[in-house]
Amino acid sequence: MYGLIGKMTAQPGKRDALAAILVDGVAGMPGCLSYVVANDPADAEVIWITEVWTSKDAHQASLALPSVREAISKGRPLIAGMERIAETVPIGGSGLTAGK
């Protein structure tokens, strides 16, 4: 499995709109085992994104999906900053099956 943890900072006052775009744009991504969008309770502009994929290739392939490309296009003007916090190798957990 392949995991990512990212931090996205929205333009002032745009966090909810950006989060909605991220949540709506991720349905039906092949190879995606988990995609969680969460608000940061300590910063009104920050969103945390935690992803688990079957492989790094599955994640890369998702970037070419029409729904993902549309979400990127809609969300880009609302983003003030992005950071890739970590790449991970998930080994299991609630909702995940190791080796899938």
Side-chain angles (χ1 to χ4, degrees), residues 9 16 21 24-25 33-34 39 59 66-67 79 82 94 99:
T9 304
D16 289 345
I21 290 167
D24 291 342
L33 302 176
S34 177
N39 288 337
H59 171 260
S67 62
I79 299 169
M82 289 178 26
S94 180

Side-chain angles (χ1 to χ4, degrees), residues 39-64:
N39 288 337
D40 187 318
D43 188 326
E45 309 306 339
V46 171
I47 298 168
W48 292 94
I49 301 127
T50 307
E51 307 174 49
V52 179
W53 297 84
T54 54
S55 68
K56 190 171 187 173
D57 289 340
H59 171 260
Q60 190 62 38
S62 75
L63 300 175

